[in-house]
Amino acid sequence: MYEFLYTSQLGAQASPLVVGQILSRARPTNAQAGVSGLLIFDGQRFFQHLEGPRPTLEALMGRIVGDSRHEDMRILHEGLLPQRRYHRFDMGYAETDDLDALGALIQLSGPSAVERFLQMRTSFDIQA
Ligand SMILES: Cc1cc2nc3c(=O)[nH]c(=O)nc-3n(C[C@H](O)[C@H](O)[C@H](O)COP(=O)(O)O)c2cc1C
């Protein structure tokens, strides 16, 4: 198992409505590929935590990097993962307006970024 945590900015030409399109396509694809995770969106910026088999995730990240619906992508952490953290096999989604929390998260990298992201998760009303 492998994980990626990244942040990116909604594309200059993209509407926030693209999130619905992204999720409706990503969920069945991820479920089939054994990819799980969580996408957070504040209206401007994405944070996505992805986990799954390493070759699958690397291929997915290659597609996501090239997606013009977002830009300024920064990987906060990537690494081996002993066991899955998200047990829904697709892509959880939450919106937030807690810009302070996201602003703090974007300053972090490595395992501390993952820690902070996982702490934020508990403030959302979602089932991982
Ligand atoms: C912020 C963001 C998150 C995305 N997350 C996923 C995802 O979890 N799974 C997925 O299959 N595609 C995701 N996509 C879409 C991919 O970039 C890509 O459009 C999709 O995998 C289909 O690729 P294809 O058109 O080359 O087949 C995401 C796109 C963006 C902008």
Side-chain angles (χ1 to χ4, degrees):
M1 292 288 289
Y2 204 72
E3 66 179 340
F4 279 99
L5 176 64
Y6 75 84
T7 179
S8 63
Q9 185 79 31
L10 182 69
Q13 308 300 322
S15 146
L17 297 175
V18 298
V19 178
Q21 300 162 10
I22 291 168
L23 287 170
S24 60
R25 175 103 191 261
R27 284 180 166 148
T29 310
N30 290 2
Q32 194 163 18
V35 171
S36 43
L38 177 62
L39 179 68
I40 291 180
F41 184 54
D42 71 1
Q44 272 302 309
R45 186 157 276 283
F46 296 103
F47 287 83
Q48 191 176 28
H49 197 187
L50 288 159
E51 63 185 8
R54 186 172 184 169
T56 307
L57 269 199
E58 285 176 343
L60 174 58
M61 285 297 283
R63 297 203 301 276
I64 292 177
V65 169
D67 194 319
S68 62
R69 292 172 291 188
H70 66 168
E71 56 198 30
D72 186 25
M73 189 167 164
R74 283 186 246 170
I75 293 176
L76 301 179
H77 176 70
E78 71 169 285
L80 293 170
L81 183 66
Q83 63 185 41
R84 198 179 285 277
R85 305 177 200 264
Y86 300 90
H87 296 284
R88 284 175 47 186
F89 270 31
D90 54 30
M91 184 48 55
Y93 177 66
E95 290 179 359
T96 179
D97 51 13
D98 190 347
L99 299 180
D100 291 346
L102 296 180
L105 180 59
I106 206 171
Q107 307 297 328
L108 300 174
S109 65
S112 53
V114 173
E115 278 298 304
R116 180 67 70 94
F117 189 85
L118 294 173
Q119 278 168 16
M120 282 177 59
R121 187 177 65 164
T122 61
S123 70
F124 300 126
D125 183 22
I126 48 162
Q127 291 270 300

